[in-house]
Structures are given as C-alpha cells and as structure tokens.
Amino acid sequence: MSDQLNSLLIDIGNSRIKFAFGSDLTKINVCNSITELIPYLHHVSNIWLSSVGKASQVKQLQGLVLPLGIDLHIVATQKQAHGLKFAYQDMTTMGVDRWLAMIAASQETIKPVAVLSLGTANTCDVLYEGKHLGGWIAPGFSLMKDSLQIRTAQVFADSQIPTELTLGDKTQDCVNLGCLAQQQGFVLMANNYLLSRFNDYDIFVTGGASSLVEQLNLPKVTFFENLVLSGLNILSEKIDK
C-alpha cells in the first residue's frame, strides 16, 4: 500500500461499518464486523473513528490497534469547529456522524443547506451562515417497517424495497410503499422548509437509504456517498498539517 493509505477512516454506524483509506473517498468499503478490518491494520499508521454503533465495537478496535502502535483518534462533537457553531446546548447528545456530515457539507457550499442522512434513522440538519440552526430526527425506512410489524397485530410486510412510489393492493405492498412515502416526504419537507425561507439553497443527501429518494429528481438535491467519512478526512488533514 502507498503512503496515501497510511490513514484509515472508519464510520461505525447503527447497522454497518464503512471505511476508506487516506483521502481516496472514491473507494468506500463496507463490512459488518470489526474483525473484517484486521487485514488492513498492518498497513496504516493512524485511524480516525466515528462511532454511533455499539461501544463494544470501539473497545474491540482499541484492543486490536494497541499492540500495533497505531494512533487511534476517536472523534467527539464540539460546540464550534471548522467555522461552524452548533445549535445544541449539550453537544454530548448530538451524534458524531451528524456533526461530521455538517462539517463536510460546510466545505461544499456557501448557500443555506439541509444535510440529510438516510439510514437506520433519518436526520436533517440546516446550516446557514456558519451556524447550525437545528434539525429533525425520524425513523428510517427499515425502522418504520419493523415498528409497524411489531406494534400492530394484523399488519405485515416482506423484504421487498420499492423503487417507485405507487399504490399498494395488498398489505405488504401498502406497508413498503407507505414507508417509502414517508422517506420521500422527509426530503420534500426539508425542501419546503428551505424554499419558504431562502431564495437559493442546497440539499445534500447521504446514507445507505439515499437511493429511495432519487426518483424525486429535486433540482436542489446533491447526493454524496458518505459525508461522515468526508468529515473525518477533513479533520485528519487538518491535524496532519
């Protein structure tokens, strides 16, 4: 591996682990367990970690890197960073993934921007003139579907993921399409919020369920594969300098 790969960026999410090497964010890898990272650890000198997953996964990674002498940087949220001031009074309650995604987004545009991450949970955060104005958190597509099946007696679904919002004619299709409607509605409401307040704006969408909203074809929407890793890369480059 080249020197460019000396840094390993890791995003431990609620359902999957995403990682990339150095500043090459065109090659984002996905795995399900920390042990799958072992073959790569001998080729890196430092690791930048964002985690909203299980604490046991972080401890497992710490145990693996300690004997190898790898510098492990576990990122935590801060009230102010990279020219941004965040709305939360208690920053310990903000997910570091949202924080990193906002840092990355702030480097991509000077317009008001809604940063949407669609995954296990859906989050929306609005940035304007260097300030985080606040945001929303809602259940993601799979979580909505699981909740319906667990909390209702005669509602059930299957594993199908619809690619187009139509009307269902059987219960499982109605559940899948209803969850898709809510997923797309989350993005539409973010668009409506910005449209009612700003003459021009951007909407950045990232996360594993982003494909579910692509058919909206909103002109203000730009898709990013992983803004969390982009944020980690920004932090690592600043420290390296």
Side-chain angles (χ1 to χ4, degrees):
M1 291 189 178
S2 67
D3 291 341
Q4 185 187 23
L5 305 185
N6 281 343
S7 293
L8 177 60
L9 312 174
I10 303 176
D11 168 21
I12 300 179
N14 290 302
S15 57
R16 299 183 302 169
I17 299 170
K18 285 78 69 179
F19 62 100
F21 296 97
S23 58
D24 186 7
L25 298 181
T26 62
K27 299 177 181 178
I28 294 177
N29 306 276
V30 178
C31 64
N32 296 308
S33 68
I34 293 296
T35 55
E36 293 177 69
L37 297 172
I38 291 176
Y40 306 103
L41 297 182
H42 294 278
H43 303 283
V44 299
S45 58
N46 59 83
I47 294 173
W48 289 82
L49 174 66
S50 162
S51 177
V52 295
K54 297 176 181 177
S56 59
Q57 292 177 306
V58 177
K59 290 182 178 179
Q60 186 181 11
L61 181 61
Q62 288 174 316
L64 290 172
V65 304
L66 182 61
L68 297 175
I70 299 172
D71 291 330
L72 176 60
H73 306 271
I74 302 175
V75 176
T77 57
Q78 301 173 27
K79 181 69 174 177
Q80 297 187 53
H82 287 266
L84 285 177
K85 184 175 181 180
F86 295 88
Y88 274 34
Q89 293 300 311
D90 182 1
M91 288 299 296
T92 63
T93 65
M94 174 182 283
V96 69
D97 53 346
R98 290 170 62 196
W99 185 77
L100 286 165
M102 283 187 270
I103 289 175
S106 71
Q107 306 299 303
E108 295 287 341
T109 183
I110 60 173
K111 299 176 186 177
V113 59
V115 185
L116 276 65
S117 178
L118 308 180
T120 303
N122 293 337
T123 63
C124 170
D125 289 287
V126 176
L127 303 178
Y128 176 57
E129 293 185 343
K131 293 181 180 179
H132 170 227
L133 303 184
W136 307 326
I137 302 175
F141 179 85
S142 296
L143 195 56
M144 281 189 282
K145 190 160 69 170
D146 291 345
S147 179
L148 273 173
Q149 295 181 90
I150 292 170
R151 308 258 329 196
T152 54
Q154 297 185 25
V155 174
F156 54 92
D158 55 30
S159 60
Q160 298 299 311
I161 299 177
T163 57
E164 182 181 2
L165 185 58
T166 57
L167 299 176
D169 57 8
K170 53 186 177 181
T171 295
Q172 55 267 48
D173 288 347
C174 289
V175 169
N176 290 332
L177 291 165
C179 291
L180 177 62
Q182 289 202 340
Q183 183 91 340
Q184 294 187 353
F186 191 78
V187 180
L188 289 171
M189 290 310 298
N191 184 72
N192 288 351
Y193 182 90
L194 294 181
L195 181 62
S196 68
R197 288 163 174 81
F198 304 106
N199 293 325
D200 196 13
Y201 58 89
D202 285 316
I203 298 175
F204 293 168
V205 177
T206 190
S210 297
S211 61
L212 294 176
V213 301
E214 288 178 348
Q215 69 172 201
L216 292 175
N217 292 320
L218 294 175
K220 299 294 186 180
V221 170
T222 303
F223 290 91
F224 293 84
E225 186 169 0
N226 193 303
L227 284 174
V228 177
L229 291 177
S230 296
L232 281 174
N233 185 52
I234 290 168
L235 292 188
S236 69
E237 289 184 338
K238 181 179 180 181
I239 296 298
D240 290 343
K241 290 178 180 178

